[in-house]
Amino acid sequence: MQQARITDNFRQQKSFTSGRTDRDQKQQKAPELLGVHGEAAVTNFDISEEERLLRSFDLATEYGPCTGMTRLERWQRADQFGLQPPLQVKQMLTGPQGEQWNRCLWDGRV
């Protein structure tokens, strides 16, 4: 007697991609929801590379808590403790648009 195979009991279903390539499917990926400002949703397509870098700095716990201080104050404190915060963050915060970027992601929310 021949040994039964699992495919004898379950039909195989082939996926149908309608001729799309993997690249096309990646380009049509839905935006990731990052938060809500008022009634408008903020997605990863709505923010710039600079804002992405600053958000990752805000969310990085290795530089200590970020509530109750500006990003620049947090960067300076982390630098004093030898935690090596990203130099690009300091350059952004001390540059011509520094005031615009100085508020922490959690400022006014917690």
Side-chain angles (χ1 to χ4, degrees):
M1 180 172 206
Q2 189 177 22
Q3 187 175 8
R5 294 178 295 178
I6 194 164
T7 55
D8 294 337
N9 295 325
F10 299 100
R11 290 185 50 202
Q12 293 180 346
Q13 294 182 352
K14 295 183 180 180
S15 63
F16 180 71
T17 60
S18 69
R20 293 183 192 161
T21 64
D22 288 338
R23 187 182 68 131
D24 293 336
Q25 289 174 353
K26 287 178 185 176
Q27 289 177 349
Q28 294 176 0
K29 183 179 177 184
E32 177 185 353
L33 181 64
L34 297 177
V36 178
H37 284 289
E39 294 182 15
V42 178
T43 65
N44 58 343
F45 295 132
D46 296 329
I47 62 173
S48 65
E49 285 299 318
E50 292 88 2
E51 183 69 20
R52 237 174 246 175
L53 175 68
L54 292 172
R55 283 173 178 254
S56 68
F57 176 69
D58 289 344
L59 296 173
T61 58
E62 64 257 25
Y63 305 122
C66 62
T67 55
M69 64 179 55
T70 65
R71 284 176 170 150
L72 184 59
E73 290 171 342
R74 183 171 182 242
W75 191 96
Q76 291 169 339
R77 183 191 61 197
D79 189 48
Q80 287 176 344
F81 287 120
L83 300 175
Q84 300 174 348
L87 188 58
Q88 188 178 5
V89 170
K90 182 182 181 187
Q91 292 170 345
M92 288 175 58
L93 297 174
T94 56
Q97 296 179 347
E99 283 300 314
Q100 164 188 336
W101 300 115
N102 213 7
R103 291 181 49 201
C104 172
L105 173 67
W106 306 109
D107 189 41
R109 296 182 184 177
V110 289

